[in-house]
Amino acid sequence: MLKRPRRNRISKQIRDLVHETSISKTDLIYPMFITEGETEEVPSMPGVFRYSVEDLPNALKEVTNAGITAVLYFGIPSHKDETGSCAYDDSGIVQRGIRLTKELYPELVVIADICLCEYTSHGHCGVVENGYVQNDKTLELLAKAAVSCARAGADIVAPSDMMDGRVRAIRNALDENAFDDVLIMSYSVKYSSSFYGPFRDAADSAPAFGDRKTYQMDYRNKKEAIIETELDIEEGADMIMVKPAMAYLDIVKAVSDKFNYPLAVYQVSGEYSMIKAASCNGWIDEKAIVMESLTAMKRAGAKMIITYYAVEAAKWLEEM
Ligand code: PBG
């Protein structure tokens, strides 16, 4: 007898009955840039803005109306220095944005990205001495930044720097300051990737010399993803992450198979810009491509998806 798998695809209703993977609005996390300057669109990311604190409430109204329940904040300070001091200044730009957000939307989950590259004059993710990013000196500053964001009201801190031992350093500092209810979402598996190009325009954070290859991971490696994740869980991460997304779904699958931990995936700036550019040219069907991509990430094993498409995708999900 001929096997007929097509029978399970015979109508939309049957297909909906048997489908295995779906996306819900509550899976989506929306990354946002908060600037000390004026609100402006990011040239290489049409539809993505850097918001001034004054304009943040309007933006948040749209985000929450769309049904998005979590945001990821990046600060863009007007002052940068060698040690990224605005990252751990209680009156810094991201801290102000967090405080305001929590006043307006106490239930919105605020995740603070913890890194120094947006705040340092040299654009590296840590303290530079003799041309090399110093691991242990950076840990102290990351811990201070995490505590400062927690004090401002962040629910989750998300270290994206890739220094060794940062999850432990941050967990200890949070606990010492009575923030034991603040979660850590660790960028546990973060590759050194050219897909971050547009983000560095958005955050004005391209390294002034060299690259990030001595701390971010080498994309030729997969086993290292398991080692990095194991360490972060051991050190106290509550949630883990793989980044970027589309070109790394084999890594998402490997990490998801191995660890029973809430797993996030980050569809990064370059991924957004590529889809946006092609759709602005009328070359692809934007909505269909975005849904297919986000579904692939969940099918590979991700639970949460960080995406610049979060708000649009939430609206599309509502229509569907
Ligand atoms: C900060 C950070 C970066 C991204 C997230 N956090 C940039 C980098 O590592 O260069 C990239 C996000 C994106 O491309 O959307 N370290």
Side-chain angles (χ1 to χ4, degrees), residues 36 76-82 84-87 118-121:
E36 233 161 345
I76 306 166
S78 49
H79 167 78
K80 304 194 184 215
D81 57 29
E82 280 285 306
S85 57
C86 288
E118 299 111 77
Y119 303 91
T120 51
S121 43

Side-chain angles (χ1 to χ4, degrees), residues 205-280:
S205 67
F209 65 91
D211 51 40
R212 303 205 201 291
K213 289 186 197 299
T214 70
Y215 39 104
Q216 298 180 351
M217 291 167 58
D218 185 332
Y219 61 71
R220 294 172 295 187
N221 297 341
K222 182 172 183 178
K223 291 176 181 149
E224 213 178 345
I226 302 300
I227 299 174
E228 285 284 2
T229 308
E230 236 156 34
L231 286 172
D232 284 3
I233 291 174
E234 212 175 276
E235 292 180 24
D238 302 285
M239 298 167 167
I240 54 180
M241 191 200 302
V242 172
K243 173 186 175 196
M246 274 289 257
Y248 295 83
L249 293 185
D250 59 326
I251 309 295
V252 173
K253 166 89 168 85
V255 170
S256 146
D257 283 351
K258 173 97 184 164
F259 302 100
N260 290 321
Y261 247 74
L263 174 61
V265 66
Y266 196 147
Q267 182 185 46
V268 300
S269 55
E271 302 181 68
Y272 173 87
S273 297
M274 290 194 305
I275 298 176
K276 207 39 136 184
S279 61
C280 285

Side-chain angles (χ1 to χ4, degrees), residues 95-110:
Q95 287 84 350
R96 274 154 48 203
I98 296 169
R99 271 195 299 272
L100 178 63
T101 305
K102 283 308 216 180
E103 272 166 36
L104 298 172
Y105 299 99
E107 280 162 22
L108 182 65
V109 174
V110 174

Side-chain angles (χ1 to χ4, degrees), residues 33 45 74 113 115 117-118 125 160-161 187 190 195-200 205 212 216 243 266-270 308:
F33 302 99
M45 301 178 75
F74 297 94
D113 183 272
C115 193
C117 64
E118 299 111 77
C125 302
S160 67
D161 53 284
Y187 287 70
K190 176 171 175 178
F195 285 101
Y196 308 151
F199 174 95
R200 293 176 190 173
S205 67
R212 303 205 201 291
Q216 298 180 351
K243 173 186 175 196
Y266 196 147
Q267 182 185 46
V268 300
S269 55
Y308 300 95

